[in-house]
Amino acid sequence: MLPSLFVAHGAPTLVQEKNKYTELLRVLAERLPRPKAVIVFSAHWEAPVQRIGSAVKYETLHDFFGYPEALYREVYPARGEIALALQAQELLQDAGIASVSDDARGLDHGAWSVLKLMYPQADIPVVTMSVNPRLVPEEQYRIGRALAPLRERGVLILGSGGTVNNPQRLEWNSRGARDWALAFDEWLAEQIETWNLEALFHYEALAPHASDAVPTAEHFAPLLIAMGAAHRGKKARLLHRQYQLGTLSLSCWMLG
C-alpha cells in the first residue's frame, strides 16, 4: 500500500531549482511504487465546500505574479481520472462530507510544481482537491481519513502546502530559517512523529510562534489531510527539511 505524503511547494520558482530538496522529491518518486493515480490537495485551491477536480485534461495555471518569464512557460499536461474522482466523492459522502465535482479548474502551481518534480512525464492520472482553511484541524484530518481506502487501490494521496509559510516576512538574503520558524517546525515534528493528535488539533494555542508560522491555515491544512489518510498506520517519517527566504519551510513527510 502506498503511503500518503505531505510535500511543501515553497515559492513557484522551486520547479526550476536544483537542490537537495528537489533531488529528494525526484528520488522519492523513483523509489515509491508507481501509483495508479495521484490525488493532490493544493493550498492554492480554496473553496468553502470540498471540490473535486474532474477535468479530462488539466490546464496549467500560472497563478502567481512578478516571476521570471520562463516560469510562465512551464506546463504540466496531466490528464484527469473521472472514475477516481467519483470514488473520492462517494467516500466523502459515506463519511458525511459534502463535495462537488469541478471539471473546469486547472492545475495551480501548488499542484503542478511538485508533480512536475516527482513525475515529470505527466503520465500518471491526477485528481485535484481543494482545501477549506476555515475548517478546524479535526475536520481536515477527517477528510483525509475518509479517502484512506484509496491508498489500498494504488492511489497516492498528496498534500501540497507548507508547515511554515509566511510570505509577509520573507528575508530575501536568508539561507536558513528564522529562529521562530525553526522552533515551530521542531515542535510540530515531535507531535507528528508521536502522532499526538490532541496537540496537533490545538496547535494554534500550543505550538511556539504558531501565528507567525501559520498566519493563514490554507498551507497547513494539506498536512492534516495527508495525516488523516494515514490514520490506520499512524507512522510518520520526516524525509527532508530546509528553508527558502527564512520563512518558507520545504519539508517532506512520509505518512503511513
Side-chain angles (χ1 to χ4, degrees):
M1 181 169 62
L2 282 164
S4 62
L5 296 175
F6 173 75
V7 178
H9 58 252
T13 51
L14 181 73
V15 72
Q16 295 183 333
E17 296 176 13
K18 291 185 178 181
N19 55 42
K20 291 181 179 180
Y21 183 62
T22 59
E23 177 66 10
L24 177 278
L25 295 182
R26 183 188 68 80
V27 172
L28 175 61
E30 291 178 351
R31 292 181 178 175
L32 285 175
R34 181 178 171 84
K36 294 180 180 178
V38 178
I39 284 183
V40 56
F41 286 85
S42 170
H44 289 277
W45 187 11
E46 296 183 42
V49 176
Q50 182 65 59
R51 301 187 76 84
I52 303 172
S54 58
V56 175
K57 190 171 184 178
Y58 290 101
E59 175 189 0
T60 303
L61 302 179
H62 299 93
D63 52 328
F64 42 78
F65 303 94
Y67 286 89
E69 183 61 32
L71 201 55
Y72 297 90
R73 294 195 292 269
E74 293 280 357
V75 295
Y76 192 76
R79 68 183 190 277
E81 180 60 78
I82 295 175
L84 176 59
L86 290 172
Q87 290 174 41
Q89 191 164 31
E90 289 173 1
L91 289 170
L92 291 171
Q93 182 177 347
D94 291 345
I97 299 169
S99 65
V100 294
S101 179
D102 188 324
D103 64 1
R105 170 80 179 191
L107 287 179
D108 60 64
H109 80 273
W112 64 257
S113 62
V114 294
L115 289 173
K116 189 163 187 174
L117 288 167
M118 295 179 70
Y119 303 108
Q121 301 304 314
D123 55 356
I124 296 175
V126 173
V127 169
T128 55
M129 293 277 194
S130 66
V131 298
N132 180 359
R134 294 179 179 271
L135 297 179
V136 298
E138 294 97 322
E139 293 173 304
Q140 309 286 7
Y141 190 90
R142 192 161 70 95
I143 290 170
R145 191 171 178 180
L147 298 177
L150 296 175
R151 292 174 51 213
E152 300 176 3
R153 306 174 196 174
V155 176
L156 177 63
I157 298 177
L158 188 156
S160 174
T163 56
V164 175
N165 188 277
N166 192 330
Q168 302 305 316
R169 299 185 65 181
L170 297 179
E171 292 190 349
W172 296 99
N173 296 320
S174 176
R175 294 182 178 272
R178 295 287 299 273
D179 289 344
W180 57 262
L182 192 58
F184 176 84
D185 261 344
E186 289 178 346
W187 178 91
L188 183 64
E190 181 179 350
Q191 313 318 314
I192 296 172
E193 288 168 350
T194 59
W195 217 268
N196 187 350
L197 296 182
E198 179 65 23
L200 287 167
F201 289 168
H202 297 91
Y203 77 91
E204 292 174 291
L206 299 177
H209 309 289
S211 61
D212 292 318
V214 189
T216 54
E218 76 284 344
H219 278 74
F220 197 77
L223 168 66
L224 297 167
I225 294 168
M227 287 188 70
H231 176 81
R232 190 169 70 178
K234 296 182 181 178
K235 295 180 181 178
R237 180 183 172 197
L238 179 62
L239 301 182
H240 187 86
R241 186 173 70 208
Q242 67 185 70
Y243 294 84
Q244 285 181 316
L245 308 176
T247 68
L248 300 178
S249 62
L250 297 178
S251 55
C252 180
W253 284 91
M254 181 182 290
L255 306 158

